[in-house]
Amino acid sequence: MPRIAPARLEAGATVLLEALGTPDPAAAKVAASLVDADLCGHASHGVVRLATMYAPMVDEGTLDPAASPTVDDADPGALRVDGNRGFGQLTGRAAVDAAVEVAAERGVAAVGVKNGAHMGRIGEWAERAAAEGFALLAFVNTGLAGRTVTVPGSAERLFSTNPIAVGIPTFGATPHPVVLDIATSQVAHGKVTKRSVEGDPLPPAWTVTAEGGHVADADAFEDGAGALLPLGGRSAGHKGFGLSVVAELLAGVVGGGEVFGEGTPGSVNNAAAFVLIDPARFTSRERVREAVTTLDDYLADATLSAAIERPDAMDGDRPLLPGAPEHRTRSDREREGVPVGDRTLDALAALAADLGVADEFRLG
Ligand code: NAD
């Protein structure tokens, strides 16, 4: 797979964003978020989205490429951010920036976010909060769109992949914050789309059909076959389903978004509830460092069995804290470049041609 230097990929993405109608410096900020998703191993939320999702949304009028978020901080106990259906990468930043200011003063800040369009990789907002020394809890819904996930006992597409993210700063105990950033389905839908673009099959554990089977063909899934299972799969899907319900409601209530059943599904329009906490109000930074180090050392002593399947990101050596896989992948790719699949490159080049910027858009 071709590898592209992150700066070059960012410059290419900025060209596409500007051609879509996003002014500078907003275009560069969105490009940086997309390339960071590619860098840390979540290509599903990286530059491919410009071709597969954002350009079509701009065309259909559900994403305003020139809009910027507005922040209402009249009540510091209840910050409100309206993304105005601009790029969600800008809205996520604005929400964290506003919350950091309030949490620095009060120890805690709650933010309701609406009209976020697509806020990308939610872990980015947890990482940004942690970089400022704050923990973040994020609950996100998709504004009636993205109905790809079923509920326990069904194969009907009723819910979306509603992500939840939690970030905890470690104040130097680890080279990265602890960040759990997950779709409440077996996988994010973007991972299916990525496989469809690249022509790769889907693992059986991801989906279910009304006959009790699964969908192996990513294109067939994209055409409506079967549904994604909630996190926990066939035996424990009630857990992912429950997490998805609380994200749906918190984003609907605190964020002021809609919840399933309230209207006609359209394009994705993330709403979110963010809560920032200053851990230093509860304990010292030294205690946080000590707690993280002790837990990490404890996990390092776990006995692993060769007979038990391990997730890809483990590298087979020891359990990792959440956030470590992204940190490792980012470090490698900053050095060696970002692998970008041929079909993704083709999709981006086609978009550049459509937008009349084929000459300016050069990744090679
Ligand atoms: P995933 O299954 O890759 O899980 C990622 C999380 O698990 C990370 O926190 C990572 O650090 C942790 N992790 C992975 N392997 C690990 C290991 N071996 N040990 C310890 N921790 C490990 O992610 P996903 O559920 O497919 O979601 C992918 C992305 O999709 C997320 O960034 C999410 O925010 C995003 N998403 C966005 C939306 C939206 O509407 N904006 C919707 C759904 C998902």
Side-chain angles (χ1 to χ4, degrees):
M1 203 180 281
R3 284 194 178 253
I4 299 172
R8 187 169 285 248
L9 194 55
E10 221 171 287
T14 304
V15 166
L16 295 176
L17 282 153
E18 287 180 347
L20 282 169
T22 309
D24 199 35
K29 286 182 184 169
V30 177
S33 287
L34 295 175
V35 172
D36 190 59
D38 281 305
L39 270 173
C40 74
H42 292 286
S44 57
H45 288 67
V47 293
V48 71
R49 289 268 173 168
L50 287 167
T52 57
M53 185 181 197
Y54 301 150
M57 284 176 74
V58 170
D59 274 351
E60 72 188 24
T62 52
L63 171 60
D64 178 352
S68 39
T70 41
V71 177
D72 175 357
D73 57 3
D75 176 358
L79 294 167
R80 290 160 209 270
V81 175
D82 189 335
N84 298 312
R85 280 195 177 257
F87 276 103
Q89 287 78 3
L90 304 174
T91 305
R93 270 182 195 240
V96 172
D97 289 351
V100 159
E101 239 175 76
V102 170
E105 189 124 322
R106 302 163 65 114
V108 67
V111 198
V113 181
K114 65 177 179 184
N115 292 324
H118 185 248
M119 293 169 71
R121 185 178 74 90
I122 306 304
E124 180 179 357
W125 317 124
E127 287 169 5
R128 290 181 77 86
E132 302 290 336
F134 298 92
L136 171 72
L137 314 179
F139 301 87
V140 181
N141 82 15
T142 56
L144 313 183
R147 287 204 300 178
T148 49
V149 185
T150 192
V151 299
S154 174
E156 191 182 350
R157 295 180 174 206
L158 288 169
F159 255 52
S160 83
T161 55
N162 283 355
I164 290 181
V166 178
I168 302 167
T170 70
F171 302 115
T174 50
H176 58 84
V178 171
V179 174
L180 177 70
D181 171 28
I182 51 169
T184 50
S185 45
Q186 287 285 69
V187 288
H189 179 223
K191 291 199 165 125
V192 176
T193 307
K194 185 82 177 31
R195 286 188 183 226
S196 164
V197 172
E198 300 294 344
D200 294 328
L202 305 181
W206 288 11
T207 59
V208 66
T209 63
E211 294 72 38
H214 68 272
V215 184
D217 180 350
D219 288 341
F221 184 91
E222 295 295 72
D223 288 340
L228 282 173
L229 283 158
L231 182 62
R234 288 167 192 252
S235 60
H238 61 287
K239 300 187 186 189
F241 169 65
L243 289 170
S244 192
V245 166
V246 298
E248 184 74 12
L249 287 172
L250 277 173
V253 172
V254 176
E258 292 174 298
V259 300
F260 284 119
E262 275 186 336
T264 315
S267 285
V268 67
N269 191 20
N270 284 151
F274 283 7
V275 179
L276 258 79
I277 301 167
D278 181 359
R281 298 291 182 110
F282 296 88
T283 188
S284 64
R285 290 187 168 198
E286 287 66 33
R287 168 63 192 141
V288 178
R289 266 195 291 274
E290 178 192 75
V292 174
T293 305
T294 306
L295 182 64
D296 197 32
D297 290 349
Y298 174 77
L299 290 171
D301 287 341
T303 306
L304 302 183
S305 164
I308 299 172
E309 199 183 327
R310 296 169 197 180
D312 294 342
M314 260 182 72
D315 280 348
D317 51 5
R318 50 150 294 176
L320 300 174
L321 289 172
E326 285 75 14
H327 173 75
R328 286 184 176 194
T329 307
R330 188 184 282 117
S331 306
D332 290 349
R333 292 183 177 181
E334 274 168 350
R335 272 195 323 273
E336 291 159 18
V338 181
V340 184
D342 286 335
R343 294 208 199 175
T344 298
L345 288 175
D346 291 348
L348 293 174
L351 175 61
D354 272 0
L355 294 170
V357 290
D359 288 343
E360 295 90 322
F361 177 78
R362 288 201 188 290
L363 297 179

Coordinates of all heavy atoms in Angstrom, one line a residue, residues 42 45 118-123 142 161 163 179-183 187-188 191 270 311 313-314 320-323 325-326, ligand 1:
H42 N -7.3 5.1 12.4 CA -8.7 5.0 12.1 C -9.0 5.7 10.8 O -9.6 6.7 10.6 CB -9.5 5.7 13.2 CG -9.4 5.0 14.5 ND1 -10.1 3.8 14.8 CD2 -8.7 5.2 15.6 CE1 -9.8 3.4 16.0 NE2 -8.9 4.2 16.5
H45 N -12.2 7.2 9.5 CA -12.6 8.5 9.8 C -11.5 9.5 9.3 O -11.5 10.7 9.7 CB -12.8 8.7 11.3 CG -14.0 8.0 11.7 ND1 -14.2 6.6 11.7 CD2 -15.2 8.5 12.1 CE1 -15.4 6.3 12.0 NE2 -16.1 7.4 12.3
H118 N -20.9 15.8 11.0 CA -20.1 14.6 11.4 C -18.9 15.0 12.2 O -18.0 15.6 11.6 CB -19.8 13.8 10.2 CG -19.2 12.5 10.5 ND1 -17.8 12.2 10.2 CD2 -19.7 11.4 11.1 CE1 -17.6 10.9 10.6 NE2 -18.7 10.4 11.2
M119 N -18.9 14.6 13.5 CA -17.8 15.1 14.3 C -16.6 14.1 14.3 O -15.7 14.2 15.1 CB -18.3 15.3 15.8 CG -19.2 16.4 15.8 SD -20.1 16.6 17.4 CE -18.8 17.1 18.5
G120 N -16.5 13.2 13.3 CA -15.3 12.4 13.0 C -15.0 11.4 14.1 O -15.9 10.8 14.7
R121 N -13.7 11.4 14.4 CA -13.2 10.5 15.5 C -13.4 11.1 16.8 O -12.7 12.1 17.1 CB -11.7 10.2 15.2 CG -11.1 9.2 16.1 CD -9.6 8.9 15.8 NE -8.8 10.0 16.1 CZ -8.1 10.1 17.3 NH1 -8.3 9.2 18.2 NH2 -7.4 11.2 17.6
I122 N -14.3 10.7 17.6 CA -14.6 11.3 18.9 C -13.4 11.3 19.9 O -13.3 12.2 20.7 CB -15.9 10.7 19.5 CG1 -17.1 10.7 18.5 CG2 -16.3 11.5 20.8 CD1 -17.4 12.1 17.9
G123 N -12.6 10.3 19.7 CA -11.4 10.2 20.6 C -10.5 11.5 20.5 O -9.8 11.8 21.4
T142 N -26.5 10.4 16.2 CA -26.3 10.7 14.8 C -27.4 11.5 14.2 O -27.5 11.6 12.9 CB -25.9 9.5 14.1 OG1 -27.0 8.5 14.3 CG2 -24.6 8.8 14.5
T161 N -24.5 3.9 15.1 CA -23.3 3.4 15.8 C -22.9 4.3 17.0 O -21.9 4.1 17.6 CB -22.1 3.3 14.8 OG1 -22.0 4.6 14.2 CG2 -22.4 2.3 13.7
P163 N -21.3 6.7 19.1 CA -20.1 6.5 19.8 C -20.1 7.1 21.2 O -20.8 8.1 21.5 CB -19.0 7.3 18.9 CG -19.8 8.3 18.2 CD -21.2 7.8 18.0
V179 N -7.5 6.7 26.5 CA -8.7 7.1 25.7 C -9.4 5.9 25.2 O -8.9 5.2 24.4 CB -8.3 8.0 24.5 CG1 -9.5 8.3 23.7 CG2 -7.7 9.4 25.0
L180 N -10.6 5.7 25.7 CA -11.5 4.7 25.2 C -12.5 5.4 24.2 O -13.2 6.3 24.6 CB -12.3 4.0 26.3 CG -13.3 3.0 25.7 CD1 -12.6 1.8 25.2 CD2 -14.3 2.5 26.8
D181 N -12.5 5.0 23.0 CA -13.2 5.7 22.0 C -13.9 4.7 21.1 O -13.2 4.1 20.2 CB -12.3 6.6 21.1 CG -13.0 7.2 19.9 OD1 -14.2 7.4 20.0 OD2 -12.3 7.5 18.9
I182 N -15.2 4.4 21.3 CA -15.8 3.2 20.7 C -17.2 3.6 20.1 O -18.0 4.3 20.7 CB -15.9 2.0 21.6 CG1 -16.6 2.5 22.9 CG2 -14.6 1.4 21.9 CD1 -17.0 1.3 23.8
A183 N -17.4 2.9 19.0 CA -18.8 2.9 18.5 C -19.5 1.9 19.4 O -18.9 1.0 20.0 CB -18.8 2.3 17.1
V187 N -18.6 -2.6 15.3 CA -17.6 -1.7 14.7 C -18.3 -0.5 14.2 O -19.5 -0.5 14.0 CB -16.8 -2.3 13.5 CG1 -15.8 -3.4 13.9 CG2 -17.8 -2.8 12.4
A188 N -17.5 0.6 14.0 CA -18.0 1.8 13.4 C -18.4 1.5 11.9 O -17.8 0.7 11.3 CB -17.0 2.9 13.4
K191 N -15.9 1.6 9.2 CA -15.0 0.4 8.9 C -15.6 -0.5 7.8 O -14.8 -1.1 7.1 CB -14.7 -0.3 10.2 CG -13.8 0.6 11.1 CD -13.1 -0.2 12.2 CE -12.0 0.7 12.7 NZ -12.0 1.0 14.2
N270 N -24.5 14.9 14.0 CA -24.2 14.5 15.4 C -24.7 15.6 16.4 O -24.5 16.8 16.1 CB -22.6 14.4 15.5 CG -22.0 13.2 15.0 OD1 -20.9 13.2 14.5 ND2 -22.8 12.1 14.9
P311 N -6.8 -9.3 20.1 CA -7.1 -8.3 19.1 C -5.8 -7.8 18.4 O -4.7 -7.9 18.9 CB -7.6 -7.1 19.9 CG -7.3 -7.4 21.3 CD -7.0 -8.9 21.5
A313 N -4.5 -5.1 17.7 CA -3.6 -4.0 18.2 C -2.7 -4.4 19.4 O -1.9 -3.6 19.8 CB -4.6 -2.8 18.7
M314 N -2.9 -5.6 19.9 CA -2.1 -6.0 21.1 C -0.6 -6.2 20.8 O 0.2 -6.2 21.7 CB -2.7 -7.2 21.7 CG -3.5 -6.8 22.9 SD -4.2 -8.3 23.7 CE -2.7 -8.9 24.5
L320 N -2.9 -3.7 26.6 CA -2.6 -2.3 26.5 C -3.7 -1.5 27.1 O -4.8 -1.9 27.2 CB -2.5 -1.9 25.0 CG -1.5 -2.6 24.1 CD1 -1.7 -2.2 22.7 CD2 -0.1 -2.2 24.6
L321 N -3.3 -0.3 27.6 CA -4.3 0.6 28.1 C -5.0 1.2 26.8 O -4.3 1.4 25.8 CB -3.7 1.8 28.9 CG -3.2 1.4 30.3 CD1 -2.4 2.6 30.9 CD2 -4.4 1.0 31.2
P322 N -6.3 1.5 26.9 CA -7.0 2.2 25.8 C -6.2 3.5 25.5 O -5.9 4.2 26.4 CB -8.4 2.4 26.3 CG -8.6 1.5 27.4 CD -7.2 1.3 28.0
G323 N -6.1 3.7 24.2 CA -5.3 4.9 23.8 C -3.9 4.6 23.3 O -3.3 5.3 22.5
P325 N -2.9 1.9 21.4 CA -2.8 1.5 20.0 C -2.7 2.7 19.1 O -1.9 2.8 18.2 CB -4.1 0.7 19.7 CG -4.5 0.2 21.1 CD -4.1 1.2 22.1
E326 N -3.5 3.7 19.4 CA -3.5 4.9 18.6 C -2.1 5.6 18.7 O -1.6 6.1 17.7 CB -4.6 5.9 19.0 CG -6.0 5.5 18.6 CD -6.6 4.4 19.4 OE1 -6.1 4.0 20.4 OE2 -7.6 3.8 18.9
Ligands
NAD1 P1 -12.2 0.3 17.7 O1 -13.0 -1.0 17.7 O2 -11.0 0.4 16.8 O3 -11.9 0.6 19.2 C1 -11.0 1.8 19.4 C2 -10.9 1.9 20.9 O4 -10.4 0.7 21.5 C3 -9.8 2.9 21.2 O5 -10.1 3.6 22.4 C4 -8.5 2.0 21.4 O6 -7.5 2.7 22.1 C5 -9.1 0.8 22.1 N1 -8.3 -0.4 21.7 C6 -8.2 -1.0 20.5 N2 -7.5 -2.1 20.6 C7 -7.1 -2.2 21.9 C8 -6.3 -3.1 22.6 N3 -5.8 -4.2 22.1 N4 -6.1 -2.9 23.9 C9 -6.7 -1.8 24.6 N5 -7.4 -0.9 23.9 C10 -7.6 -1.1 22.6 O7 -13.1 1.5 17.2 P2 -14.6 1.6 16.7 O8 -15.6 1.2 17.7 O9 -14.7 0.8 15.4 O10 -14.8 3.2 16.4 C11 -13.9 3.8 15.4 C12 -14.1 5.3 15.4 O11 -15.3 5.6 14.9 C13 -14.0 6.0 16.8 O12 -13.0 7.0 16.6 C14 -15.4 6.6 16.9 O13 -15.4 7.9 17.6 C15 -15.8 6.8 15.5 N6 -17.2 6.9 15.3 C16 -17.7 8.2 15.0 C17 -19.1 8.3 14.8 C18 -19.7 9.7 14.5 O14 -20.9 9.8 14.2 N7 -18.9 10.8 14.5 C19 -19.9 7.2 14.9 C20 -19.4 6.0 15.2 C21 -18.0 5.9 15.4

